[in-house]
Amino acid sequence: EVNATVEHYNIERVEIWTKEGQQATLTMQPYKWVWKTLKFGDDYIQAVAYDTKGRMVTSQIDVIKLF
């Protein structure tokens, strides 16, 4: 789950990325994505949030996926 907020502007979309590329584009709260791909090893999950003014911010975590 991604918690995306911006003062005075609305979030337009949140993109979810992993090493395999873009996984989802979320346009409605709550911004949730379930990783259903089977994978073993290290990866990352990156959320890129865009507001209605076209500005963006990213957040990334490194993960080890075991299923």
Side-chain angles (χ1 to χ4, degrees):
E1 183 173 338
V2 176
N3 182 13
T5 60
V6 178
E7 287 187 37
H8 309 296
Y9 299 103
N10 293 321
I11 298 295
E12 181 179 84
R13 72 185 185 280
V14 175
E15 296 174 350
I16 305 297
W17 294 79
T18 67
K19 282 185 178 179
E20 289 75 35
Q22 186 174 355
Q23 301 298 310
T25 299
L26 311 171
T27 57
M28 296 182 63
Q29 290 184 7
Y31 304 107
K32 291 187 178 186
W33 168 72
V34 176
W35 198 346
K36 295 181 181 179
T37 304
L38 293 177
K39 177 180 174 61
F40 296 91
D42 66 322
D43 210 320
Y44 64 84
I45 300 171
Q46 181 182 63
V48 183
Y50 296 87
D51 71 11
T52 54
K53 294 290 185 183
R55 297 175 296 189
M56 55 88 81
V57 64
T58 65
S59 182
Q60 179 175 312
I61 59 170
D62 294 320
V63 297
I64 297 175
K65 193 160 184 341
L66 302 174
F67 53 90

